[in-house]
Amino acid sequence: MAAGSRRGFGNTERRKNAKTGKTTGWRARYRGPDLGRYHRSFTTKIDAEAWLYAEEALIARGEWVPPDQRVARVTVTLNEYVGANIKIRKLAPRTREEYETYVERFLTHDELGGKSLRAISARDITAWYSRLQEHTGTTMSARVYGFVSSVFNAAVRDRLVDHNPCTIRGASEAPRRSKKTIATPEEIAEALLHLDKRYRAMILLAAWSGLRSGEFRNLRRRNVDLVGRRVVVDEQVQNLRGQGKVVRGVKTEAGARIVHLPASVIGVLETHMSEFSQAGPDGLVFPSRIGTPISQSVLHKVWNEARQAIGRPDLRIHDLRATAATQAARTGATIAELQARLGHTTPNAAMKYQAAVAARDAHIAVALDDFITLPVDLTAAKKRTPAPDARKGSRRKATGGKRST
DNA sequence: AGGCGTTGTCGACAAACGCA
DNA sequence: TGCGTTTGTCGACAACGCCT
C-alpha cells in the first residue's frame, strides 16, 4: 500500500517494474454502484485522479454505466460542430453570413478547427486568440472570440463538452472608440447643395426622420403619405453576399413604424417624387439611375463628397440618424417618443402608451419645422409645387400633422 | 433596478469587379 | 470610362440575460 493513496472515492496506486523498481505508471481503481471493480492505467498520477473524479461525477449525476457498456464517444472536431451549429441556429441572413466568414477565416485554416471538441483546452483557446489578434483588429478578434465562445456554450448544452474552454476575461468585449457626432441644420442644408439633385431629398429625409439607411433606400411610393405628411417604414434592404440586394422586414417588430415629417421636408419630397421616383405603389422613392435601390457603396460615395465639401469628413450617414434624434429631442419629445420615432424596441411600459406616443409624433414633426434650414433653391421648389392638402393652415399649429388615418 | 457581459445584427468604408 | 455592384473587413449599436 505504500505506493498507493486513498481518496474519498477509489484510489490510485503507483505501478513499478518488479526488477528495476522504476515507476511505470499509475493505476486508478474504484468500486462502481454495481459493486463491480473498475480500474484503468495512466502515465501520471494527475490523470489517474482526474479519471476518478470524472467517474465519481458520473455516479453523482446518475449517468454512470459500466465502462465496457459505454458507447464510444464520437469525436467531433470544432470545425464539424461549428458548421452544424450554424445551420441549426436561428440567425438573420446577415448574421449567418457574418459567422460563416468568421469560420472560413479563423477556424477552417487554423489548427484549432481540426481539433476534437473535447480536446480543446483553455490553453488552446488562449493560443488561438493571440494568433487571432495577430491577424486582425481588436474588434474582429473580440467578435470572433465571442462567436466561438457561444459555439462552445452550445456544445455544453449539447453535452458534447463539460465546460466552455473560452475563459479569457473580457475577450469578447469589443473596445469602442465612440466617435458619435451630429450635424447642425445649417450643415445639412449646406450639404444638400453639394449633392446631385437626385439625392437631396433622400439626405434631407434621413436627417429629419432618423430612418436607417437600409430603410430609406428601400422606401416605396406606397410608404409615403404626402397628405398625412408621414412615411410608413416596414421594410429595409440589405446587401447579402451572392444574393445582391435583399428586401426584408425591419429589424424588430417595433421597428415597423410611422414617422411624421415636417411640412417643409414633405414639400421637398413631393417635388423629388414627381421628378425621380418610380411609378406605382411599389416604385422606389429614391431609385438609382438604373432603377435599383441605391446601394450602400453608392450612397457612401455620394455622401462622402458632400461631407468633404462642407468640411465635416467625420459625419457618417448613420450620424444623420442621431441628428434627427437630437432635433426631435429639441421639440421636447420624451424618451419613449424618441424611441418610437427611431424604431427602437421599448421593453418597458412605454408600449402601453403607444397610441398616445404615435399621436405625439405628428406634433414633433410640426415643431421640427421651426428648426429646419433649407437651401434657397429647395425652398423655391417646394413653393412651386404645393401639395394640395398638406399645405393648408399654419404648420405651426399642433393640429397640422395628424390627420385621419 | 441598474450594471455588465454575451450574442445578434446592421452600417461604414474601400477595393475589386463588371457592364454599357 | 463612368457608374453601379460585389465582396471583404472592421466598427458600432441593440437586445437579452444574468448578476448583484
Side-chain angles (χ1 to χ4, degrees):
Chain A
M1 204 65 223
S5 71
R6 291 177 183 277
R7 311 166 64 255
F9 172 82
N11 64 62
T12 58
E13 181 184 5
R14 181 163 62 197
R15 307 288 286 165
K16 54 190 176 185
N17 185 299
K19 287 177 185 169
T20 65
K22 281 189 175 177
T23 302
T24 58
W26 288 79
R27 182 171 69 178
R29 295 189 294 190
Y30 70 92
R31 195 175 285 277
D34 60 350
L35 300 184
R37 285 181 175 151
Y38 300 95
H39 62 87
R40 203 174 141 186
S41 297
F42 300 88
T43 53
T44 68
K45 187 179 182 183
I46 291 286
D47 288 340
E49 289 183 338
W51 179 70
L52 282 180
Y53 278 118
E55 294 296 301
E56 188 178 13
L58 285 177
I59 293 169
R61 290 203 298 265
E63 295 171 5
W64 184 92
V65 292
D68 59 347
Q69 292 177 26
R70 294 178 198 174
V71 180
R73 179 103 64 165
V74 181
T75 58
V76 181
T77 67
L78 178 57
N79 276 340
E80 290 165 348
Y81 183 71
V82 167
N85 184 254
I86 287 185
K87 275 182 192 150
I88 293 170
R89 279 207 226 183
K90 282 177 190 158
L91 296 170
R94 182 69 179 74
T95 305
R96 188 179 305 278
E97 179 181 296
E98 187 86 11
Y99 286 176
E100 281 165 357
T101 63
Y102 292 173
V103 173
E104 171 63 24
R105 288 182 62 201
F106 303 112
L107 287 181
T108 55
H109 301 309
D110 191 283
E111 59 181 87
L112 188 76
K115 284 198 172 184
S116 153
L117 215 49
R118 297 181 61 80
I120 293 173
S121 65
R123 184 170 303 187
D124 293 328
I125 293 294
T126 306
W128 166 75
Y129 182 61
S130 48
R131 257 173 275 146
L132 200 60
Q133 288 177 306
E134 282 172 25
H135 292 296
T136 186
T138 50
T139 301
M140 199 54 160
S141 296
R143 300 294 302 115
V144 176
Y145 178 90
F147 164 68
V148 169
S149 176
S150 74
V151 168
F152 270 105
N153 283 339
V156 171
R157 286 193 293 274
D158 285 349
R159 301 247 179 173
L160 288 175
V161 294
D162 298 324
H163 63 278
N164 185 346
C166 299
T167 53
I168 307 173
R169 188 179 59 88
S172 66
E173 199 176 353
R176 292 187 190 183
R177 16 186 148 143
S178 186
K179 40 183 179 182
K180 208 178 278 181
T181 181
I182 60 169
T184 65
E186 291 73 27
E187 284 172 332
I188 296 297
E190 201 190 337
L192 296 185
L193 292 176
H194 295 282
L195 287 167
D196 188 291
K197 279 178 96 178
R198 170 177 290 274
Y199 305 116
R200 287 184 181 170
M202 180 175 72
I203 295 299
L204 183 68
L205 176 81
W208 291 94
S209 68
L211 262 56
R212 301 176 177 95
S213 113
E215 291 170 346
F216 64 73
R217 284 186 290 127
N218 187 57
L219 204 63
R220 309 286 166 153
R221 209 174 255 278
R222 65 176 144 77
N223 296 129
V224 181
D225 176 2
L226 290 173
V227 175
R229 300 210 281 241
R230 58 195 192 177
V231 295
V232 179
V233 184
D234 58 3
E235 285 179 341
Q236 63 179 354
V237 59
Q238 289 181 331
N239 288 17
L240 295 180
R241 203 174 30 187
Q243 296 175 59
K245 290 173 185 151
V246 177
V247 174
R248 61 187 289 258
V250 283
K251 196 172 171 183
T252 64
E253 206 151 297
R257 65 194 190 279
I258 294 173
V259 180
H260 291 79
L261 296 168
S264 51
V265 173
I266 284 290
V268 173
L269 187 59
E270 185 171 20
T271 307
H272 167 91
M273 287 173 74
S274 64
E275 191 170 352
F276 296 105
S277 301
Q278 294 172 341
D282 282 335
L284 288 164
V285 176
F286 304 113
S288 68
R289 286 172 221 278
I290 61 168
T292 57
I294 292 170
S295 65
Q296 249 185 351
S297 57
V298 168
L299 175 63
H300 170 244
K301 277 181 194 171
V302 166
W303 173 244
N304 192 34
E305 287 172 21
R307 68 180 182 177
Q308 298 286 349
I310 64 169
R312 285 298 309 275
D314 60 318
L315 204 58
R316 301 162 306 168
I317 282 289
H318 199 65
D319 295 329
L320 297 181
R321 189 164 149 80
T323 298
T326 304
Q327 295 301 328
R330 281 179 72 196
T331 70
T334 66
I335 296 292
E337 287 160 5
L338 288 177
Q339 288 183 325
R341 189 169 172 81
L342 292 174
H344 288 178
T345 57
T346 51
N348 52 34
M351 298 323 284
K352 279 197 292 189
Y353 315 113
Q354 199 167 23
V357 165
R360 274 282 303 160
D361 194 61
H363 295 257
I364 292 170
V366 171
L368 278 177
D369 243 342
D370 286 345
F371 303 144
I372 291 191
T373 306
L374 283 181
V376 185
D377 59 336
L378 281 185
T379 317
K382 181 186 82 183
K383 279 175 185 156
R384 271 205 308 276
T385 54
D389 192 25
R391 201 142 279 77
K392 290 223 160 144
S394 166
R395 67 189 192 211
R396 298 283 149 80
K397 281 184 185 158
T399 51
K402 175 84 175 178
R403 220 170 287 179
S404 68
T405 49

